[in-house]
Amino acid sequence: MKSAFTCFLFVLLFTSRLSFAQTGKFRWWNPETATFPVIEGQAWPEELKSPYDRLPARAEKQVREPVWDLAGMPSGLMLRFRANSAEIRVRYVVSGQHALQHMPATGVSGVDLYALSNDGDWLWCAAKYAFGDTIAFDFKNLNPNDNYHKKGREYRLFLPLYNKIKWLEIGTPEGTEFTPLAVRPDKPVVVYGTSIAQGACASRPGMAWTSILGRKLDRPLINLAFSGNGMLENELISMISEIDAKMYVLDCLPNMTIRPNDPDSDLTIEEVYRRILASVRTLREKRPGVPIVLAAHAGYTDGDINPQSKHFYTEVNETLEKAYAALKSEGIKELYMIPKEDFKQDTETMVDGTHPNDLGMMRYAEGYEKHIRTILHEQTDAFSTTKPLTQMRELYNYDWEARHREILELNKKSAPTNIIIGNSITHFWGGMPKGPRAVGEDSWMDTFGKNARNLGYGWDRIENVLWRVHHGELDGNPINRIFVNIGTNNLHLNTDNEIVEGWRLLIEAIKYRQPQAQITMLGIYPRRAQEARVENLNKKLALLTGETNVNYLDPGKVFLQKDGKIDETLFSDGLHPNAKGYSVLGKAIKPFVK
């Protein structure tokens, strides 16, 4: 079977060569025709009865009928693609009613389109839509490109929350570029929950808290929430344990409140306690070391005036706290609990006292993000340099996502002795994986040796490196030495203090993932007309490395003349070294590569 990375490269090569005459007609793509996985959010893509199911076909005989029926609703599923057109259309057919009494058709049966700027910022796309036998969404007047190139941007299409899809197609005008993207290689966050996690009552799919959280973390998220049926049942827990997850989230208490007068429920508080214990023990036995998050009931917004409502959620939350303490006392590690207060639900955040509106969904996502970033050691801060982002600034020259996938594939095969992290100056020096050009291949080999990995990306900034570190480029086997040269592309956007704080967070992230590595921060290399600022900033970097107990080296001084200006004969453009420049730079670094 071809790897996801191989499929990803194939589709890029194939679709980049498609050419259509501009006739005003649309070409349509059906995800079911893809030859590689494109529907993100599915844990069992090769075992499905229907293309948009969330559980494998075998589950039909293993779970209760309502659970199986709800599993056919594609809540949390998403399609990624690239396009450079000013209009994108989506048409599809669903099997159920378009709206619910307390939830609009746009959330129940609609789709939701988000885009990423080539700097990695989120953009939302409005549509004209019609709910008929065939539902149609028409996204018009889209700015198809940023200032970097004319090859478009990435889009993410969130699918309906409470209806089943019979078929779906995405259309773009002929003569424009359209590239389906493979599902991302990251291990997913897996959520098992109730109608709230499934998406009730978000106004549109992208506003479900799981969708918001997926965007905030920029990670795949698998939504295994089943409206009214998130009950911590053993059959579901057993299936969930099959998923090689980044984290498991159990948010089932809203379906497990004890209501003595309910003829359809024989659940007792003692059984709730037992199921919490059993669920955690099963996951921990089958997936040692994977974090497990237990979520408290976020409450009902009439709790302060309705004593019965308050009793319902207070009782199960006290039971959760009791079970959590018992599990921790057993020595179970990587177990966490999010208390009710951290979801910050209040009188303005719910539709019916139970299901969040969009504000409530955002509060849910923010509560989760705060805890999950701490658990995964993916901290952020206020400055742009401290917010991890992807980028697609140089698609005409190389593919940023493809390079990231290639590095992850290489990491699976072998651990390098030396890793060199940087921007285009590192990217175009030499080494593996190969870039679009290698200006100083000989000096690269002479400096870092054969067992070195080039983690330089053209146009990268500190925040882009932070994203790459969070998403696996340093995970795995121990590495001896890590050299980092990043920040020159932040000079025109950020203050010195913002750059220093970005470096600080990056150093912390690297140290956590490779605690035994010798980390060396390389000063920003001098560049034309920026020599004085670079010199001052490098002094601040030197102080920071003392505070964080890592090494510091300023090899870029070899580029300076006696007057403090760069030696133009060592550069191709006042920023990027030529072959001679790389040679003198390598000689300055080589003594520290031991």
Side-chain angles (χ1 to χ4, degrees):
M1 179 181 296
K2 293 182 179 179
S3 69
F5 172 67
T6 303
C7 293
F8 179 78
L9 286 180
F10 172 80
V11 73
L12 286 179
L13 291 171
F14 178 75
T15 57
S16 66
R17 285 163 171 76
L18 291 177
S19 178
F20 296 85
Q22 184 67 47
T23 63
K25 296 182 179 180
F26 274 64
R27 54 173 177 169
W28 295 89
W29 174 71
N30 187 326
E32 296 180 47
T33 65
T35 57
F36 54 94
V38 294
I39 303 175
E40 188 164 289
Q42 294 175 321
W44 300 272
E46 297 179 354
E47 298 184 53
L48 301 176
K49 182 176 181 179
S50 298
Y52 297 98
D53 283 353
R54 292 183 289 147
L55 289 178
R58 56 188 156 90
E60 185 173 10
K61 296 180 180 180
Q62 299 176 19
V63 302
R64 291 183 295 110
E65 185 177 349
V67 174
W68 174 249
D69 182 62
L70 289 159
M73 298 176 180
S75 177
L77 301 191
M78 180 183 70
L79 295 162
R80 296 191 313 129
F81 58 89
R82 291 178 187 162
N84 69 347
S85 58
E87 184 175 5
I88 297 171
R89 296 179 183 176
V90 184
R91 62 188 184 191
Y92 56 103
V93 171
V94 297
S95 61
Q97 61 184 17
H98 290 162
L100 300 174
Q101 288 183 336
H102 62 329
M103 187 173 175
T106 50
V108 173
S109 305
V111 294
D112 206 0
L113 186 65
Y114 282 75
L116 284 165
S117 77
N118 290 331
D119 285 326
D121 297 313
W122 286 104
L123 308 167
W124 178 71
C125 308
K128 299 292 184 182
Y129 44 81
F131 287 87
D133 292 339
T134 298
I135 300 174
F137 274 66
D138 194 358
F139 302 90
K140 288 185 176 182
N141 302 315
L142 302 173
N143 180 5
N145 299 291
D146 292 330
N147 296 324
Y148 297 98
H149 52 75
K150 300 299 182 183
K151 299 183 75 64
R153 63 176 84 250
E154 179 181 332
Y155 291 89
R156 299 185 185 180
L157 184 72
F158 293 87
L159 302 184
L161 299 172
Y162 268 86
N163 222 325
K164 297 180 181 180
I165 294 176
K166 292 184 176 181
W167 60 265
L168 178 145
E169 293 181 330
I170 300 172
T172 51
E174 292 183 352
T176 61
E177 295 186 27
F178 178 87
T179 304
L181 295 175
V183 298
R184 291 171 290 177
D186 307 67
K187 292 183 179 182
V189 174
V190 178
V191 176
Y192 174 33
T194 69
S195 56
I196 298 170
Q198 185 169 336
C201 289
S203 64
R204 46 190 175 82
M207 287 307 298
W209 73 254
T210 52
S211 301
I212 298 170
L213 180 63
R215 292 195 300 275
K216 284 179 173 291
L217 298 176
D218 202 13
R219 285 193 173 279
L221 187 146
I222 292 178
N223 187 329
L224 295 178
F226 307 103
S227 186
N229 293 275
M231 305 285 284
L232 293 179
E233 293 169 300
N234 180 63
E235 295 84 358
L236 267 299
I237 293 295
S238 181
M239 284 187 184
I240 289 169
S241 71
E242 298 173 9
I243 305 170
D244 186 11
K246 187 75 174 177
M247 169 184 290
Y248 300 106
V249 175
L250 304 181
D251 191 349
C252 292
L253 292 190
N255 282 167
M256 302 180 76
T257 57
I258 307 305
R259 301 172 184 256
N261 297 324
D262 184 357
D264 296 325
S265 175
D266 57 358
L267 194 66
T268 65
I269 201 65
E270 292 77 19
E271 178 65 9
V272 173
Y273 179 74
R274 187 198 68 77
R275 290 190 188 189
I276 295 171
L277 297 181
S279 297
V280 171
R281 289 167 181 163
T282 296
L283 289 174
R284 180 51 67 241
E285 178 184 357
K286 295 186 178 181
R287 294 291 178 179
V290 179
I292 301 170
V293 176
L294 302 174
H297 193 311
Y300 302 119
T301 49
D302 67 340
D304 289 336
I305 197 171
N306 185 332
Q308 186 180 58
S309 292
K310 190 167 187 175
H311 169 74
F312 286 153
Y313 67 75
T314 300
E315 183 180 36
V316 290
N317 280 345
E318 289 174 349
T319 302
L320 176 66
E321 292 173 2
K322 177 184 174 183
Y324 181 74
L327 291 163
K328 294 293 284 187
S329 69
E330 293 177 12
I332 291 181
K333 300 184 185 302
E334 292 294 323
L335 178 65
Y336 306 89
M337 186 181 75
I338 303 181
K340 168 186 176 295
E341 293 72 25
D342 284 10
F343 293 122
K344 297 183 179 179
Q345 301 297 314
D346 59 38
T347 55
E348 312 298 336
T349 65
M350 291 189 182
V351 172
D352 53 6
T354 301
H355 299 98
N357 56 28
D358 288 354
L359 175 59
M361 289 292 184
M362 184 62 72
R363 297 263 182 90
Y364 257 100
E366 289 170 346
Y368 271 110
E369 182 190 17
K370 173 186 173 182
H371 284 266
I372 290 175
R373 285 201 177 279
T374 299
I375 294 167
L376 297 182
H377 297 271
E378 295 181 359
Q379 299 291 6
T380 65
D381 212 330
F383 302 129
S384 64
T385 54
T386 63
K387 298 181 185 298
L389 294 174
T390 60
Q391 60 103 337
M392 199 173 71
R393 302 183 184 104
E394 208 171 348
L395 192 56
Y396 58 86
N397 199 19
Y398 82 102
D399 190 297
W400 195 92
E401 181 174 334
R403 183 168 177 83
H404 172 64
R405 288 174 180 257
E406 186 174 7
I407 286 169
L408 296 183
E409 289 288 323
L410 287 173
N411 289 349
K412 292 178 183 178
K413 297 175 182 177
S414 65
T417 302
N418 300 313
I419 277 183
I420 303 85
I421 297 173
N423 47 51
S424 57
I425 299 172
T426 300
H427 189 177
F428 304 143
W429 191 343
M432 294 292 291
K434 290 184 177 181
R437 60 183 179 274
V439 178
E441 185 68 50
D442 291 342
S443 62
W444 173 276
M445 293 297 296
D446 185 60
T447 303
F448 300 111
K450 292 182 179 180
N451 195 26
R453 191 148 298 157
N454 186 329
L455 268 59
Y457 287 60
W459 263 114
D460 253 16
R461 300 171 187 159
I462 296 169
E463 55 266 33
N464 306 130
V465 175
L466 189 61
W467 187 97
R468 296 196 277 119
V469 171
H470 285 179
H471 288 256
E473 290 193 6
L474 296 183
D475 292 356
N477 296 322
I479 299 161
N480 291 354
R481 286 173 291 275
I482 300 173
F483 296 88
V484 183
N485 172 256
I486 197 68
T488 195
N489 291 323
N490 292 93
L491 292 176
H492 66 295
L493 296 169
N494 299 104
T495 66
D496 287 5
N497 182 56
E498 290 169 348
I499 291 173
V500 169
E501 290 308 305
W503 280 333
R504 186 188 304 277
L505 218 57
L506 179 59
I507 290 169
E508 291 176 2
I510 294 172
K511 289 176 72 174
Y512 173 75
R513 288 156 180 82
Q514 289 290 337
Q516 76 300 317
Q518 181 186 90
I519 301 168
T520 301
M521 298 296 293
L522 303 176
I524 295 177
Y525 303 139
R527 56 187 295 177
R528 184 188 297 150
Q530 296 268 12
E531 294 92 342
R533 185 183 178 193
V534 167
E535 180 183 10
N536 183 59
L537 194 51
N538 283 345
K539 290 176 182 177
K540 296 179 180 180
L541 176 58
L543 291 173
L544 176 64
T545 59
E547 295 173 15
T548 54
N549 194 30
V550 298
N551 298 331
Y552 172 72
L553 181 63
D554 188 11
K557 289 181 177 179
V558 297
F559 292 136
L560 296 174
Q561 302 177 122
K562 291 182 179 181
D563 62 0
K565 303 297 182 182
I566 64 168
D567 182 348
E568 296 281 357
T569 67
L570 301 177
F571 291 84
S572 61
D573 57 4
L575 170 63
H576 298 92
N578 54 28
K580 181 180 177 182
Y582 279 121
S583 179
V584 297
L585 179 64
K587 290 176 181 177
I589 296 174
K590 185 175 180 179
F592 300 89
V593 185
K594 300 177 182 177

